[in-house]
Amino acid sequence: MKKMRRSAIKAANKELERIDVFFNTYANMSSGLIDPEGIERLCSDVEVDHTDVRILMLAWKMKAEKQGYFTLEEWRTGFKAIRVSNKYALKKALPELEKEVRRPTNFVDFYSYSFRYCLTEEKQKSIDIDSICELLNIVLRSQYQAQVDLFVQYLKTQNDYKVINMDQWMGFYRFCEEISFPDLSNYDPELAWPLILDNFVEWLREKQTQS
């Protein structure tokens, strides 16, 4: 029994060593972090664009705190979880990671994380409209293309909001999940929807009557 335990510990240590070597391939040696340049190289090695949603999913798996940077601890957390220690295994693991994140219980957490990950300044609580539109296209468009396209169009033409906060961000996801689209028949503005969504629905109804 002890021998088995020793062997398991030895294997885990070896795996961790491989993960650390993999980290050092992309780390900036002076800062001890993987920075945006290192992430670009990682993306190139696994043949995905740096704006690919799966890179954001990887950051979610690592519980990465700062956009564009990975610490060794975060890297270990993520790569131990997906059991990967080299670029070839990572490339193979990405479709499975995406499947995991797309499960409804995980996706809500990932969607919320993607907003927090984009808060780059201390005490920042909201994100500018252009960045939100980009983020919606990366994170949500593959699931709710019609809703995202129209919401992005609305955000770019309205003048009332310069930024979006977490409550509005999560509200839009709930809207996509719960509201019959495009007829909006079950949307009730008396319920606790963020005001921006009441305005969006009003804009949509006007658009529909015009067409």
Side-chain angles (χ1 to χ4, degrees):
M1 194 71 180
K2 273 184 183 174
K3 198 173 180 185
M4 274 174 72
R5 201 178 297 130
R6 271 204 305 273
S7 160
I9 290 167
K10 202 172 177 186
N13 286 343
K14 244 187 167 174
E15 186 61 12
L16 194 59
E17 207 176 300
R18 281 195 286 266
I19 289 170
D20 288 3
V21 168
F22 189 29
F23 176 85
N24 290 330
T25 309
Y26 303 102
N28 177 320
M29 285 303 129
S30 59
S31 67
L33 300 168
I34 293 178
D35 57 20
E37 202 179 292
I39 293 173
E40 286 271 10
R41 280 192 287 116
L42 174 68
C43 291
S44 171
D45 282 352
V46 293
E47 295 171 355
V48 298
D49 193 83
H50 71 282
T51 60
D52 191 301
V53 70
R54 289 169 298 178
I55 297 303
L56 190 54
M57 289 171 174
L58 191 58
W60 171 78
K61 199 70 184 169
M62 289 188 213
K63 300 183 173 72
E65 285 184 11
K66 190 179 177 188
Q67 190 182 37
Y69 294 87
F70 299 144
T71 67
L72 177 58
E73 276 315 303
E74 289 167 350
W75 186 268
R76 284 173 171 176
T77 298
F79 284 90
K80 274 198 288 187
I82 61 173
R83 297 177 179 182
V84 160
S85 58
N86 61 65
K87 62 185 180 185
Y88 307 106
L90 175 59
K91 196 176 172 182
K92 278 185 186 168
L94 286 176
E96 204 48 53
L97 173 63
E98 185 168 7
K99 248 189 244 173
E100 181 194 340
V101 175
R102 297 268 179 218
R103 285 185 207 124
T105 46
N106 287 336
F107 191 79
V108 180
D109 189 59
F110 168 70
Y111 182 78
S112 161
Y113 168 83
S114 67
F115 183 92
R116 292 193 309 274
Y117 188 60
C118 289
L119 298 172
T120 51
E121 305 293 323
E122 209 180 326
K123 295 186 179 171
Q124 185 184 345
K125 288 196 164 66
S126 52
I127 298 172
D128 68 273
I129 294 295
D130 284 346
S131 300
I132 281 291
C133 292
E134 276 178 43
L135 195 58
L136 282 168
N137 281 325
I138 292 168
V139 172
L140 204 56
R141 191 173 184 269
S142 63
Q143 280 166 270
Y144 296 105
Q145 185 178 339
Q147 290 94 319
V148 168
D149 285 353
L150 283 163
F151 192 49
V152 163
Q153 194 184 331
Y154 165 72
L155 288 174
K156 286 184 172 179
T157 52
Q158 57 77 42
N159 296 308
D160 298 323
Y161 299 90
K162 299 276 182 267
V163 293
I164 295 291
N165 63 31
M166 175 66 99
D167 185 49
Q168 294 161 334
W169 174 255
M170 295 309 294
F172 181 65
Y173 178 67
R174 187 162 70 89
F175 174 89
C176 291
E177 286 276 285
E178 296 176 14
I179 299 304
S180 172
F181 200 85
D183 63 75
L184 310 167
S185 55
N186 61 338
Y187 188 85
D188 182 356
E190 298 304 312
L191 296 178
W193 292 102
L195 181 60
I196 193 170
L197 290 173
D198 292 344
N199 297 345
F200 172 53
V201 167
E202 205 177 296
W203 176 85
L204 273 175
R205 285 183 171 145
E206 270 179 35
K207 204 175 165 62
Q208 284 164 355
T209 53
Q210 284 164 12
S211 57

